[in-house]
């Protein structure tokens, strides 16, 4: 006797979205004009790089879109303070914004300078949106090399005098 088996029919899988489709997908795109954004203050906090060289301490901060007149650099004792503000761009009536991510507002950053900084020689400058502050070291704090040979001869000379 012959038994006949029927295989189940195979249905094709539905097309899965590609990564490009997923990256472009925004479920709220069509609803964006219906949203009213609440009035929230976006905090602007610039990042600083601080490095030490043989001659000075160097502070750098990216401050794009901020005019030099809106930046204040002050030194009180050994406390370096940088403050400023970036203005909010005006939203025009009738324009539709899908995102509003650029931050704005006032900021203040303070740094305690280490001992050995020449407080009379702290300079600041702004170029292409980058604030650079250089706090020079005092001469007696700058590293210097010491000759071991000369040191040994001085020690030997003192021992001979004492004997």
């Amino acid at each position: 006797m012959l038994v006949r088996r029927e295989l189940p029919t195979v249905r094709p899988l539905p097309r899965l979205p590609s990564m490009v489709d997923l990256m472009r997908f925004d479920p709220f795109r069509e609803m964006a004009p219906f949203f009213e954004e609440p009035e929230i203050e976006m905090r602007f906090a610039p990042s600083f790089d601080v490095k030490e060289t043989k001659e000075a301490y160097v502070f750098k901060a990216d401050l794009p879109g901020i005019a030099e007149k809106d930046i204040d650099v002050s030194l009180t004792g050994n406390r370096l303070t940088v403050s400023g503000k970036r203005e909010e761009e005006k939203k025009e009536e009738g324009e539709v914004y899908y995102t509003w991510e650029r931050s704005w507002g006032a900021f203040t950053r303070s740094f305690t300078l280490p001992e050995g900084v020449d407080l009379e020689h702290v300079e600041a400058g702004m170029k292409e949106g980058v604030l650079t502050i250089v706090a020079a070291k005092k001469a007696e704090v700058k590293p210097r090399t010491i000759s071991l040979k000369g040191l040994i001869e001085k020690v030997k000379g003192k021992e001979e005098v004492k004997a």
Side-chain angles (χ1 to χ4, degrees):
M1 175 181 256
L2 215 101
V3 178
R4 185 173 174 190
R5 289 190 196 169
E6 293 202 22
L7 296 173
T9 58
V10 178
R11 289 186 230 152
L13 293 174
R15 179 186 169 274
L16 295 175
S18 69
M19 187 56 82
V20 174
D21 294 336
L22 290 174
M23 296 301 287
R24 286 191 206 144
F25 177 68
D26 182 4
F28 303 107
R29 181 174 291 148
E30 284 87 29
M31 296 176 10
F34 300 113
F35 289 128
E36 283 196 31
E37 293 186 21
E39 291 296 321
I40 56 172
E41 183 177 338
M42 298 290 288
R43 298 291 302 160
F44 174 65
S47 300
F48 276 77
D49 291 339
V50 181
K51 73 176 180 178
E52 179 180 4
T53 66
K54 290 180 182 180
E55 303 295 321
Y57 294 93
V58 180
F59 299 78
K60 286 190 176 189
D62 292 333
L63 301 174
I66 300 179
E68 287 184 35
K69 66 179 179 63
D70 293 331
I71 299 172
D72 180 44
V73 179
S74 62
L75 189 61
T76 306
N78 66 339
R79 192 99 172 140
L80 175 69
T81 304
V82 180
S83 58
K85 63 180 176 176
R86 179 159 58 188
E87 298 292 331
E88 177 184 15
E89 290 186 15
K90 294 187 180 1
K91 293 182 182 180
E92 297 296 326
E93 192 68 33
E95 291 181 338
V96 177
Y97 289 87
Y98 293 103
T99 58
W100 187 261
E101 297 176 346
R102 296 174 53 219
S103 57
W104 49 271
F107 70 91
T108 299
R109 292 288 306 267
S110 293
F111 301 92
T112 302
L113 298 175
E115 289 185 35
V117 171
D118 188 353
L119 300 176
E120 300 299 319
H121 294 94
V122 177
E123 298 176 355
M126 183 99 152
K127 183 178 179 185
E128 297 178 0
V130 178
L131 173 68
T132 303
I133 303 169
V134 178
K137 292 181 181 179
K138 292 180 181 175
E140 63 266 13
V141 178
K142 294 177 186 174
R144 58 188 172 98
T145 58
I146 299 171
S147 171
L148 293 177
K149 183 177 179 183
L151 182 63
I152 293 171
E153 289 174 1
K154 288 181 182 179
V155 172
K156 284 183 180 179
K158 289 182 182 179
E159 288 176 359
E160 291 174 9
V161 172
K162 287 182 182 178

